[in-house]
Amino acid sequence: MGVAHVATDFEELPLAAERPTTPTASLTAGLAEERVDHRFKALPPDAGGLTVGALAAERRNLFTGGFTTPVLALSAESVEHNLALLETYAERHGLAFAPHGKTSMAPQLFADQLKRGAWGITAAVPHQARVYRAYGIGRIFLANELVDPVALRWLAGEMTADPEFRFICYVDSVRGIELMEEALSASGATRPLDVVVELGAGEGARTGARTEADCAAVADAVAAAGSLRLVGVAGYEGEVPDADPERVRAWLRRLVALAATFDAEKRFTGAEEIVISAGGSAWFDAVADVFAGIPELSSPVLKLLRSGAYVSHDDGHYKHLTPFNRVPGEGALEPAFRLWAQVVSRPTGEQAFLNAGKRDAAYDLDLPEAQVVRSARDGSVRPATGITVTGLSDQHTWVRTEEGAELEVGDWVGMGLSHPCTSFDKWQLIPLVEADGTVSDYIRTFF
């Protein structure tokens, strides 16, 4: 299966020295060698046995090329637009960028993000980091405290085998540091693991040391651990309770002040640069504003933004939350997903059922939104006027139709989705579709 295979155990992965270290088109090209078969939803049955690359080269049409419904499509033009927009945004505001890879878990998109100037890719859990390394990602920011001894042993091996590999992760507890020190020491780690103290976003928020005194205690523990090196501070402003622009900026100023205090106390000894990191997909405008005011410190500062959902955006949750709504002069993201499902039942004039459900569509935040209808009779496309998604079963979409709404059995309904992170993870191979319906590539995911 080539590089498309990901080992099921940490020890099964080849060491970094045995793998390419730069995610380029040649590195992800191995994905094109994978064979199309029953594992991949919606792909044409007559394509079975072809490689993904050979199928992409045929440039089939999504609607007439043998694809079955339901089928999730990713707009090639919108993905390209979104990649370019965040690249220019980060450059304009002097930010480094490590987009969160948990959104897509797609090495092809990681390669595109790195070509667009990303510093590295953010991960949340060890499995994600393993996928990144299997595809040559040279810089990983793990936005969690890493205390799993097996994962730490694997990480120590990666760092030993590849001196150029850089890995940074959160620390937020003295006990966590004890566990990290124990595992890394036992593994024979040859260089220290870079860590950043996570400042919690407030009482009742998610992870992170809650007070500056707690952060100092964690930093003291790092200084006493021979296997760790403190290089900065970080956190996630999206967890600020009752978040609004003022509260988010206040927390970000606390984060910057914590970095300045630690620097004045010479806690970053040995760090070539001081990392200050924040930034989800809802408040990166506030991050840019506050980080612009970071004072001069004793070493260069890496202002690291970690937004990830931008790559596909959506038609619901992030459509409403995106900072570009507040700063329209900076541009606008485009929703890239469209889920196509077919009308399989029209029992009454007010009701219809499509053949997509919870197994196919994100539904944790908002229901899909009916946008367009493609006629099964002549292929014409029209707005989904008077057509509303009201619910999802495992394999059915419940649709309410108003009087006069045109919809019949066999029609295809194109739906917008809410929440990219739970859209990507339902599909292993996603057609990348051009505006005229031509499928130009297939995006492989690893969840």
Side-chain angles (χ1 to χ4, degrees):
M1 195 181 293
V3 298
H5 170 72
V6 174
T8 56
D9 189 283
F10 285 102
E11 283 73 16
E12 291 179 24
L13 277 175
L15 288 175
E18 301 170 16
R19 300 195 305 272
T21 56
T22 305
T24 64
S26 61
L27 181 58
T28 57
L31 292 167
E33 300 169 8
E34 193 162 12
R35 295 286 172 180
V36 174
D37 58 25
H38 61 277
R39 292 170 298 157
F40 304 119
K41 296 191 291 187
L43 297 194
D46 68 349
L50 293 178
T51 65
V52 172
L55 179 58
E58 292 184 357
R59 293 180 62 81
R60 298 195 186 195
N61 186 278
L62 185 72
F63 307 105
T64 61
F67 293 85
T68 62
T69 56
V71 57
L72 181 66
L74 196 58
S75 164
E77 292 85 359
S78 293
V79 168
E80 178 62 24
H81 169 85
N82 295 342
L83 288 167
L85 182 59
L86 257 290
E87 177 188 22
T88 57
Y89 183 89
E91 289 177 348
R92 188 181 306 121
H93 292 280
L95 300 169
F97 193 31
H100 211 316
K102 71 175 175 62
T103 296
S104 70
M105 288 303 295
Q108 292 147 289
L109 296 180
F110 299 163
D112 289 339
Q113 289 169 318
L114 290 161
K115 289 175 190 174
R116 290 289 191 172
W119 172 91
I121 305 294
T122 295
V125 293
H127 162 71
Q128 294 167 359
R130 289 176 51 228
V131 173
Y132 299 0
R133 289 301 288 162
Y135 289 90
I137 303 299
R139 293 174 178 161
I140 298 174
F141 186 101
L142 187 79
N144 250 330
E145 189 167 66
L146 182 58
V147 297
D148 182 333
V150 177
L152 286 162
R153 187 162 60 245
W154 168 81
L155 176 59
E158 290 289 296
M159 293 174 63
T160 297
D162 182 1
E164 300 301 315
F165 171 44
R166 186 161 189 205
F167 186 94
I168 303 172
C169 72
Y170 282 178
V171 287
D172 77 348
S173 68
V174 173
R175 175 56 178 157
I177 291 165
E178 291 173 352
L179 292 169
M180 296 172 78
E181 173 72 1
E182 180 181 336
L184 291 169
S185 297
S187 71
T190 57
R191 57 189 174 106
L193 172 62
D194 287 346
V195 297
V196 290
V197 173
E198 182 191 7
L199 173 66
E203 291 302 322
R206 202 162 60 188
T207 56
R210 290 302 194 246
T211 68
E212 281 74 3
D214 293 337
C215 289
V218 172
D220 289 340
V222 171
S227 299
L228 304 177
R229 177 174 60 182
L230 185 65
V231 298
V233 298
Y236 175 47
E237 76 290 339
E239 284 292 309
V240 169
D242 301 316
D244 62 22
E246 292 72 27
R247 290 187 179 92
V248 168
R249 283 174 170 78
W251 178 84
L252 287 164
R253 287 191 289 270
R254 282 182 62 200
L255 185 69
V256 169
L258 180 66
T261 298
F262 279 7
D263 187 48
E265 295 170 348
K266 302 188 185 306
R267 292 184 181 273
F268 299 130
T269 301
E272 296 180 0
E273 60 186 0
I274 296 170
V275 178
I276 305 178
S277 179
S281 296
W283 294 103
F284 54 74
D285 58 331
V287 174
D289 289 347
V290 174
F291 279 15
I294 292 175
E296 184 175 351
L297 302 180
S298 62
S299 296
V301 176
L302 182 71
K303 305 174 184 179
L304 194 60
L305 185 69
R306 307 192 306 271
S307 313
Y310 80 97
V311 69
S312 65
H313 198 45
D314 72 5
D315 280 295
H317 185 67
Y318 287 108
K319 177 181 180 180
H320 301 300
L321 289 182
T322 178
F324 288 116
N325 293 337
R326 296 186 290 271
V327 287
E330 299 259 23
L333 294 169
E334 297 178 357
F337 274 131
R338 179 163 283 173
L339 177 65
W340 290 94
Q342 202 163 18
V343 180
V344 293
S345 181
R346 188 80 159 100
T348 73
E350 296 78 35
Q351 196 173 34
F353 291 89
L354 314 181
N355 64 345
K358 294 179 180 178
R359 307 300 174 93
D360 313 298
Y363 61 93
D364 56 317
L365 294 177
D366 302 290
L367 289 171
E369 174 188 276
Q371 296 178 328
V372 295
V373 177
R374 188 177 191 277
S375 170
R377 294 183 182 272
D378 59 16
S380 61
V381 178
R382 60 184 184 273
T385 305
I387 299 171
T388 304
V389 174
T390 59
L392 292 176
S393 299
D394 283 354
Q395 303 290 181
H396 289 92
T397 300
W398 294 61
V399 172
R400 183 181 68 247
T401 57
E402 298 175 8
E403 184 177 353
E406 298 180 56
L407 193 65
E408 63 179 347
V409 170
D411 287 347
W412 287 35
V413 178
M415 295 177 284
L417 301 176
S418 181
H419 198 188
C421 300
T422 51
S423 297
F424 276 105
D425 68 3
K426 299 179 187 303
W427 296 80
Q428 290 183 296
L429 206 56
I430 304 172
L432 188 68
V433 183
E434 296 174 357
D436 65 358
T438 300
V439 179
S440 59
D441 204 354
Y442 298 84
I443 303 300
R444 183 68 157 93
T445 66
F446 293 93
F447 285 94

